[in-house]
Amino acid sequence: METKTITIRVNAEVARMFEAASEEHRRKLEVLLSLKLSDATRSKRSLEEVMSEISRNAQARGLTPEILDSILNEE
């Protein structure tokens, strides 16, 4: 499978965790992210439906509007 490097924005904590991970763990995370991005772009669901599912999952994992605001306002 041919691969290509892309750049995506993530919060600083996620970036630190990724950078601190072993090479093997980073490769696994890259494969997982690639699969998720592929699913999201090939999905017949609308972007709104995908975003709603992501929102529900984030809330179920404890992400509150206040935490999201804090993450989005980080520089």
Side-chain angles (χ1 to χ4, degrees):
M1 171 177 71
E2 181 183 355
T3 63
K4 183 175 178 179
T5 300
I6 63 170
T7 302
I8 60 170
R9 293 182 187 270
V10 297
N11 73 49
E13 182 180 351
V14 170
R16 280 190 295 275
M17 290 186 310
F18 182 82
E19 291 165 350
S22 69
E23 185 65 30
E24 180 182 353
H25 193 198
R26 274 188 253 153
R27 280 195 307 273
K28 290 177 182 178
L29 290 168
E30 289 169 350
V31 169
L32 179 61
L33 181 56
S34 181
L35 290 170
K36 284 295 198 179
L37 286 171
S38 180
D39 285 349
T41 56
R42 291 182 182 166
S43 174
K44 295 188 190 271
R45 297 181 300 165
S46 71
L47 179 58
E48 185 176 319
E49 290 171 319
V50 172
M51 291 173 63
S52 291
E53 180 181 344
I54 291 168
S55 177
R56 285 190 304 275
N57 290 339
Q59 288 175 2
R61 292 182 178 117
L63 183 66
T64 64
E66 294 79 18
I67 294 171
L68 180 58
D69 249 4
S70 172
I71 292 169
L72 294 174
N73 290 319
E74 285 181 358
E75 292 198 24

